[in-house]
Amino acid sequence: MALIVDVFPARSDNFGYLAHDEASGRTAAIDAPEAGPIKAALARRGWTLTDILITHHHIDHVEAIAELKSASGARVVGPAAEADKIEELDELVGDGDVVELGDTRFDVLATPGHTLGHVVFHDSVGGHLFSADALFSLGVGRMFEGTPGPMWAGLERLRALPDATLVYCGHEYTESNARFALSIDPENAALKKRAEEVKSLREQGKPTIPFPLGEDKLANPFLRADAPELAEHYGLTGADPAEVFAAIRKGKDNF
Ligand code: ZN
Ligand code: FE
């Protein structure tokens, strides 16, 4: 049996996700952006919330924990490295840990940078990656707490996951990410193709999520910090990819 993922909008530009393990009937909210849309999705599906998996401490990912937990008694799992910043965590996890949701096993990977303790949840059997603000479609979260070296190293590990992996990220930022990506990597055919798809999805009011990791490996400049053409764009030919990554991140911040 499989993992079924329900995708819905929450807050102004967050995604909410329910991950439902068919075999056991367990259902996890991935992050807790807003109680209303999460409860509505549960009701629509007829699922009961049993778990809440938290990626990082930002308010738009944790605000509904208390309300959901008191309504459902769900187990709350989150990053040990941010335990002092997140209330109501029952279980603390870090890189290399496994979170079980019935028959589904999520590997926990540390992805520091957006926040220092940010983690992502990877179901390697079903091919689902819940990346929150560590990896967006055609972009990455702002580097609020980390430094370029570890942030790039975390992304390299995500990049090593199979191409067919479906990525569920925290926000619908794809269209503006595409504009920036095209400005620094204009000859990239995979990027141009993805940007066209994104434009048409958004024109139809559809989400650009989930997206196959394999497409993003070719099109997301932040996953291509070791590509010669991006180093060249920033006058950094031969430099450490982490340095190119830092230049791309800075470029996006000022775009
Ligand atoms: Zn965030
Ligand atoms: Fe966020």
Side-chain angles (χ1 to χ4, degrees):
M1 287 209 198
L3 185 78
I4 303 172
V5 181
D6 192 83
V7 181
F8 49 93
R11 304 178 77 100
S12 56
D13 63 13
N14 280 70
F15 282 111
Y17 297 116
L18 293 176
H20 176 77
D21 176 69
E22 264 192 300
S24 64
R26 292 188 78 98
T27 302
I30 312 296
D31 282 332
E34 188 181 3
I38 294 172
K39 288 178 171 174
L42 287 163
R44 176 164 44 75
R45 290 281 194 166
W47 295 342
T48 302
L49 192 69
T50 54
D51 301 80
I52 302 171
L53 309 188
I54 298 295
T55 59
H56 69 296
H57 69 80
H58 285 158
I59 189 74
D60 60 310
H61 298 257
V62 304
E63 193 164 54
I65 294 176
E67 184 175 345
L68 293 171
K69 189 179 176 179
S70 73
S72 64
R75 164 184 75 153
V76 187
V77 180
E82 298 187 353
D84 58 334
K85 299 193 179 77
I86 306 170
E87 287 175 24
E88 312 261 11
L89 291 181
D90 301 307
E91 278 178 38
L92 305 178
V93 292
D95 194 63
D97 286 339
V98 172
V99 179
E100 289 185 358
L101 181 76
D103 282 4
T104 303
R105 291 165 60 87
F106 291 107
D107 295 313
V108 179
L109 284 89
T111 47
H114 177 67
T115 65
L116 275 177
H118 194 297
V119 296
V120 300
F121 298 98
H122 178 229
D123 159 28
S124 62
V125 173
H128 303 279
L129 174 67
F130 294 96
S131 65
D133 295 358
L135 174 65
F136 296 135
S137 173
L138 303 179
V140 296
R142 217 172 249 269
M143 192 170 66
F144 284 118
E145 297 178 8
T147 51
M151 190 168 182
W152 166 243
L155 289 168
E156 278 190 290
R157 291 174 66 209
L158 299 188
R159 191 176 67 172
L161 301 177
D163 286 356
T165 307
L166 289 177
V167 185
Y168 301 78
C169 64
H171 296 272
E172 180 61 67
Y173 294 158
T174 315
E175 217 170 5
S176 65
N177 286 343
R179 277 195 292 279
F180 170 70
L182 284 167
S183 78
I184 63 168
D185 197 12
E187 305 303 324
N188 184 332
L191 170 58
K192 286 193 264 191
K193 181 167 166 276
R194 174 71 177 151
E196 284 301 316
E197 287 165 8
V198 163
K199 193 164 161 256
S200 116
L201 284 169
R202 296 308 290 153
E203 277 168 3
Q204 300 166 60
K206 289 186 184 157
T208 62
I209 272 53
F211 59 93
L213 184 60
E215 280 185 20
D216 222 49
K217 290 181 193 180
L218 300 173
N220 185 340
F222 292 94
L223 294 181
R224 289 170 33 76
D226 52 358
E229 50 274 37
L230 286 173
E232 195 189 324
H233 177 84
Y234 286 103
L236 290 169
T237 297
D240 189 312
E243 210 181 311
V244 179
F245 177 83
I248 302 170
R249 189 55 268 174
K250 199 169 162 208
K252 177 70 165 67
D253 290 346
N254 300 319
F255 185 64

